Amino acid sequence: MSDAYLALEDGRVVEARGRAPGRTRGELVFTTAYTGYEESLTDPSYEEQVLTFSYPLIGNYGVRSERFESDRIHPRAAIAREFTEDVVDWLDEEGIPAIDHLDTRELVTSIREEGAMKCGIAVGPDATPEDAKEELDACKGMSEHTDIGAQVSVDEPAVYEGGDEATVALIDCGAKGSIIESLCDRDATVHVLPYDATREDVEAVDPDVLFISNGPGDPKNFEAAEALVDSYIGDLPVAGICLGQQVVANALGGTTEKMAFGHRGVNQPVRDLESGRVVMTTQNHGYTVGEPGDRLDVTQVNVNDGTAEGLANDELGVLTRQYHPEANPGPHDSLDFFDDVLDLVSTDAAVATSD
């Protein structure tokens, strides 16, 4: 056991048990998920954040790499009421500071009441409250991470062969691996392109659909992806998930805004406005679409707060989701989104043939 201190933006310093040593800083957020800690910790959307688990025991079914969403842990640090040794060993191996034996219920309540906040963490035998405060003082707001895409995106294009149903140009703003798997499972071949890909990069792929992935931070900082949407809209079907929905909205005249504490968990209810059907969804985002603009229709909303969960324009061939239809470990109520995306391709081809 080692000393650990968590310095919060509201002025408090919380003492905890240190499980993996180090000093770091980030935006303090929480997830309500009670399973899927491996998926959460490897989700690129948590880049530059400190992840608090509201469920009290994290690690009770071990750590298996086949559940990972990327090749590394993305949160700057991890907090729980109690971590098992399996998770601690994993965090320690990757150099991610971890603390437990603190009141996570109070921490989550503070975030809900005050909003996601900056924090600093110091863990180790010689750690002091002042060390944690120094980290807090150096912490930047999420919107200040203007090139966060470079931290989570591929450096070079990659191809995942799924079949000849469609060719997808996936702009990697921090894509979860299960998005690629979901498309490949439907016989699509996926070309993963860097977050700052140009129109020439996309043209080299000759895709049937442009897909903007999830990712961390402020969607306004993903200007290259927004420019691609603006360039291809009306000429190519466009789809997006999570940050991808926000980027599409910004490109088509909508607005995005930061949420107080975001949606992070596996039990967010979403209602489809046409069918009235409600599905449970996995979500991980701190920004949302404020106004969709004149070119996009809101098709789905969050039951709890009314925020936009789905956008579409049938004439332009646009379809987006704020939540994660490909969610691992679940729920899988909305996996048909990927079928609908590939239907955009067949519809677009039929229109082109008739013309």
Side-chain angles (χ1 to χ4, degrees):
M1 184 183 299
S2 60
D3 293 324
Y5 299 94
L6 171 66
L8 304 175
E9 191 175 1
D10 64 10
R12 289 180 293 159
V13 177
V14 180
E15 188 171 355
R17 178 174 71 162
R19 303 305 307 278
R23 290 177 54 167
T24 194
R25 54 193 177 271
E27 182 184 55
L28 183 66
V29 298
F30 70 88
T31 176
T32 59
Y34 44 89
T35 61
Y37 49 85
E38 298 143 310
E39 291 88 343
S40 292
L41 287 167
T42 55
D43 183 347
S45 293
Y46 280 116
E47 189 79 6
E48 295 295 347
Q49 294 179 319
V50 172
L51 179 57
T52 303
F53 292 93
S54 64
Y55 190 74
L57 177 60
I58 297 301
N60 53 9
Y61 52 86
V63 176
R64 295 174 61 184
S65 59
E66 57 264 34
R67 297 192 181 108
F68 294 178
E69 289 289 351
S70 67
D71 60 2
R72 67 177 175 89
I73 295 174
H74 286 275
R76 286 289 198 111
I79 300 172
R81 181 68 183 89
E82 185 171 354
F83 284 117
T84 66
E85 293 301 325
D86 287 342
V87 175
V88 169
D89 290 344
W90 177 35
L91 291 163
D92 193 23
E93 288 171 4
E94 295 220 16
I96 305 299
I99 63 176
D100 64 7
H101 281 201
L102 70 166
D103 190 345
T104 50
R105 294 171 300 181
E106 181 181 4
L107 202 57
V108 169
T109 298
S110 296
I111 297 170
R112 285 186 62 90
E113 291 178 349
E114 302 175 40
M117 63 184 77
K118 299 176 184 177
C119 73
I121 287 181
V123 187
D126 301 320
T128 67
E130 287 68 30
D131 293 334
K133 291 178 182 177
E134 287 180 6
E135 292 294 330
L136 170 62
D137 291 341
C139 188
K140 297 194 297 185
M142 287 303 295
S143 293
E144 296 177 78
H145 292 285
T146 55
D147 202 23
I148 197 170
Q151 300 172 214
V152 294
S153 182
V154 294
D155 295 322
E156 299 292 337
V159 183
Y160 295 83
E161 299 286 350
D164 56 7
E165 182 69 22
T167 299
V168 178
L170 177 66
I171 307 305
D172 179 15
C173 301
K176 293 170 63 178
S178 51
I179 293 177
I180 299 170
E181 292 171 6
S182 296
L183 290 165
C184 288
D185 286 346
R186 288 160 176 77
D187 298 325
T189 290
V190 181
H191 292 257
V192 179
L193 303 178
Y195 78 106
D196 57 353
T198 64
R199 184 180 174 98
E200 289 72 23
D201 296 327
V202 176
E203 287 178 346
V205 171
D206 190 23
D208 299 306
V209 60
L210 178 69
F211 200 121
I212 313 299
S213 83
N214 65 292
D218 191 333
K220 295 185 180 69
N221 288 327
F222 289 81
E223 296 176 354
E226 184 178 328
L228 283 177
V229 174
D230 180 63
S231 175
Y232 277 104
I233 198 70
D235 295 331
L236 199 66
V238 174
I241 286 177
C242 200
L243 178 126
Q245 168 164 293
Q246 300 157 21
V247 169
V248 171
N250 282 334
L252 270 66
T255 63
T256 53
E257 57 193 34
K258 198 173 192 307
M259 306 175 77
F261 51 84
H263 293 160
R264 298 178 179 89
V266 297
N267 58 350
Q268 287 283 336
V270 169
R271 179 165 60 91
D272 185 88
L273 297 180
E274 181 178 356
S275 68
R277 179 185 178 219
V278 174
V279 296
M280 301 306 291
T281 68
T282 288
Q283 303 198 17
N284 175 14
H285 61 101
Y287 293 79
T288 190
V289 173
E291 295 294 334
D294 296 333
R295 304 173 76 186
L296 291 169
D297 295 320
V298 176
T299 59
Q300 298 183 335
V301 296
N302 189 286
V303 173
N304 292 331
D305 61 14
T307 52
E309 297 284 2
L311 301 174
N313 183 314
D314 294 338
E315 292 183 4
L316 294 176
V318 178
L319 188 65
T320 68
R321 295 290 183 265
Q322 182 58 66
Y323 53 87
H324 284 272
E326 81 295 345
N328 284 321
H332 296 152
D333 298 10
S334 53
L335 273 170
D336 55 358
F337 167 74
F338 295 98
D339 299 309
D340 294 339
V341 169
L342 297 185
D343 284 344
L344 289 177
V345 175
S346 58
T347 300
D348 187 62
V351 171
T353 301
S354 65
D355 291 345

